[in-house]
Amino acid sequence: MKRPDRSRTLLHGLAGLICLLLATGACASTQHDHDSFQSGWLAYENGRYQEAAGIWEPLARAGNINAQINLGFMYDYGQGVTRAPETAARWYRAAATTGHEIAQYNLAILLQENTLASDDGDARHWMQLAAQQNYADAQYQLGLMIAADPEQEQRASASEWFYRAGANYLAANDRDNAELALRALYAVSYTHLTL
């Protein structure tokens, strides 16, 4: 599951929009793990969040990346568990260190929104790792982070990330987000507007 981008939820027209992580079973070490993950997914889709968390926690502890991300999401938003940003960060980080771009993105946003101690990098570090994997949402957010930096030399770098995000959104036929990224590109490149 990907964290909703709170800066763009109005653009999407649905507050709290959740893009769901497809459960391919690629991270499952056995058919039993895959079946367990799917059963957790079914519980989650039917609003049985506590049951889903109970199924996914042992899988996450065993290293299932999808379970780690989903469990992080549940702790992030308090779905079936007590909301605990520190625990969410721990699960996101476990998956993020494997190179999973959604986990890196989720961790970056969580660190940016909360004052959490991070022993291995800050929000911008994780966002950059996700952006380097051509993850358009991360590219856009990294552009915003860079554009917010008071040093003017950073504007060229922010422009590059907005351009990449816009191109990736266009390739995915996501015109609304492409327009948003290209407006940000224009604002940071050709005007003195701040984002």
Side-chain angles (χ1 to χ4, degrees), residues 138-155:
Q139 291 169 333
Y140 177 78
Q141 289 298 322
L142 182 59
L144 290 176
M145 288 174 160
I146 294 170
D149 193 322
E151 295 182 33
Q152 292 297 320
E153 307 87 58
Q154 297 292 324
R155 289 195 177 270

Side-chain angles (χ1 to χ4, degrees), residues 17-171:
L17 177 67
I18 302 171
C19 295
L20 301 176
L21 176 67
L22 295 176
T24 62
C27 298
S29 58
T30 66
Q31 183 63 39
H32 178 266
D33 287 351
H34 175 72
D35 292 345
S36 292
F37 183 87
Q38 292 295 353
S39 137
W41 190 253
L42 182 62
Y44 183 87
E45 285 183 324
N46 289 307
R48 298 188 320 266
Y49 300 132
Q50 280 185 314
E51 182 182 339
I55 293 169
W56 284 336
E57 186 158 356
L59 292 172
R61 289 186 191 284
N64 183 295
I65 295 168
N66 291 339
Q68 291 169 340
I69 295 169
N70 290 353
L71 200 55
F73 185 89
M74 295 179 82
Y75 277 102
D76 196 353
Y77 288 92
Q79 292 181 323
V81 294
T82 302
R83 185 175 186 281
E86 297 83 10
T87 305
R90 183 171 47 92
W91 286 119
Y92 286 151
R93 186 175 287 113
T97 58
T98 69
H100 198 288
E101 69 275 7
I102 292 175
Q104 292 167 341
Y105 173 84
N106 286 356
L107 179 58
I109 296 291
L110 181 69
L111 291 172
Q112 186 178 26
E113 292 176 351
N114 296 276
T115 53
L116 301 176
S118 176
D119 57 342
D120 59 343
D122 62 359
R124 190 162 158 179
H125 164 77
W126 290 109
M127 195 64 76
Q128 184 157 359
L129 290 176
Q132 289 169 340
Q133 295 186 65
N134 274 340
Y135 190 52
D137 289 345
Q139 291 169 333
Y140 177 78
Q141 289 298 322
L142 182 59
L144 290 176
M145 288 174 160
I146 294 170
D149 193 322
E151 295 182 33
Q152 292 297 320
E153 307 87 58
Q154 297 292 324
R155 289 195 177 270
S157 179
S159 295
E160 176 65 23
W161 288 114
F162 288 137
Y163 176 81
R164 287 183 184 189
N168 283 324
Y169 285 133
L170 282 174

